[in-house]
């Protein structure tokens, strides 16, 4: 469904990604693991057209999307849950969710998506009129995920969804990611919490200093010596 093929990308004279190849098949949860500054967020930015590949390609179901700009990527029903949530802090929960549906013209469809999000996140329904900046960190993460779902995505990319959350909320976030996949949405997950990510993913990639150094099933990566030493404390 989504493929980065031999992507080289970076900022100014600095190259961050080196011949990165990643594939995400329809219906999968695929995780990209790596330490800080490994190039994970740059990978996300490259998918969404915020960083242009210097070489290589990004395709969605065989169509090049690295040439269509960020708006073109969004129109093809890719959605992003950004690092650090990035909710609109002065807007209400409902207004944040409506912003996620800004490319949908059908009001009935927007209402239907809103109900779907509120069913997935009952806490957000309780805080429908509350200003987003007053929500807890966990609630803001729910809102960021709900806002992305409002775009009716066929593929959703999540950048460090567990960052800064308590262990209980981390479990809730990963349970929700599984439920999102069960609703027919493919998930590409960038995450430092390797144990949690690999426990829900089908496959995974390990990124080190901009290079893919491992790719395998999630089950095999959980028992891989390099992964255990670097990310699982084993």
């Amino acid at each position: 469904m989504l493929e980065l093929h031999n992507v080289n990308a970076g900022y100014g004279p600095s190259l961050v990604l080196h011949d990165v190849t990643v594939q995400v098949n329809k219906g999968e949860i695929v995780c990209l693991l790596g330490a800080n500054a490994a190039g994970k967020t740059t990978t996300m930015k490259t998918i969404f057209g915020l960083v242009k590949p210097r070489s290589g390609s990004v395709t969605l179901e065989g169509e090049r999307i690295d040439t269509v700009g960020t708006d073109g990527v969004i129109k093809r029903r890719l959605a992003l849950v950004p690092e650090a949530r990035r909710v609109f802090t002065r807007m209400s929960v409902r207004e944040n969710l409506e912003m996620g549906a800004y490319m949908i013209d059908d009001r009935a469809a927007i209402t239907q998506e809103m109900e779907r999000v509120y069913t997935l996140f009952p806490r957000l329904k309780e805080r429908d009129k509350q200003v987003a900046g007053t929500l807890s960190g966990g609630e803001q993460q729910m809102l960021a995920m709900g806002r992305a779902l409002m775009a009716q995505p066929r593929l959703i990319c999540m950048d460090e969804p567990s960052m800064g959350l308590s262990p209980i909320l981390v479990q809730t976030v990963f349970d929700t990611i599984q439920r999102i996949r069960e609703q027919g949405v493919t998930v590409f997950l960038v995450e430092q919490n390797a144990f949690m990510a690999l426990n829900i993913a089908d496959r995974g990639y390990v990124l080190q200093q901009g290079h893919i150094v491992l790719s395998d099933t999630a089950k095999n990566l959980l028992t891989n010596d390099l992964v255990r030493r670097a990310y699982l404390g084993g």
Side-chain angles (χ1 to χ4, degrees), residues 8-30:
N8 291 275
Y11 310 92
S14 300
L15 200 60
V16 177
L17 302 181
H18 305 268
D19 292 321
V20 167
T21 294
V22 171
Q23 292 181 330
V24 182
N25 298 316
K26 186 175 182 179
E28 285 187 316
I29 298 176
V30 174

Side-chain angles (χ1 to χ4, degrees), residues 9-109:
Y11 310 92
S14 300
L15 200 60
V16 177
L17 302 181
H18 305 268
D19 292 321
V20 167
T21 294
V22 171
Q23 292 181 330
V24 182
N25 298 316
K26 186 175 182 179
E28 285 187 316
I29 298 176
V30 174
C31 64
L32 179 65
L33 308 176
N36 283 331
K40 302 188 304 300
T41 295
T42 300
T43 302
M44 284 293 194
K45 288 181 176 179
T46 303
I47 292 170
F48 282 88
L50 299 169
V51 172
K52 295 285 187 183
R54 298 185 188 178
S55 61
S57 62
V58 183
T59 58
L60 179 68
E61 295 185 332
E63 178 192 7
R64 288 280 294 264
I65 60 171
D66 52 278
T67 59
V68 301
T70 302
D71 58 339
V73 174
I74 300 300
K75 286 176 181 176
R76 286 159 175 78
R77 292 173 57 201
L78 268 70
L80 175 66
V81 179
E83 184 181 12
R85 299 176 275 278
R86 307 273 180 92
V87 299
F88 300 104
T89 56
R90 297 185 181 182
M91 298 169 68
S92 70
V93 166
R94 177 171 287 269
E95 288 168 338
N96 267 269
L97 293 176
E98 288 175 342
M99 287 296 291
Y102 75 99
M103 284 194 174
I104 301 174
D105 295 326
D106 185 345
R107 193 68 212 178

Side-chain angles (χ1 to χ4, degrees), residues 87-88 91-104 107 110-111 113-119 121 123-125 127-129 132 135 139-152:
V87 299
F88 300 104
M91 298 169 68
S92 70
V93 166
R94 177 171 287 269
E95 288 168 338
N96 267 269
L97 293 176
E98 288 175 342
M99 287 296 291
Y102 75 99
M103 284 194 174
I104 301 174
R107 193 68 212 178
I110 293 174
T111 300
E113 290 307 312
M114 189 82 70
E115 287 306 311
R116 182 165 77 117
V117 168
Y118 281 157
T119 299
F121 302 107
R123 186 79 61 86
L124 295 182
K125 187 170 186 177
R127 287 153 174 72
D128 178 81
K129 294 180 174 61
L135 299 176
E139 290 165 346
Q140 287 189 15
Q141 185 62 54
M142 293 176 195
L143 182 55
M145 293 169 73
R147 182 181 60 192
L149 288 170
M150 288 294 295
Q152 299 179 325

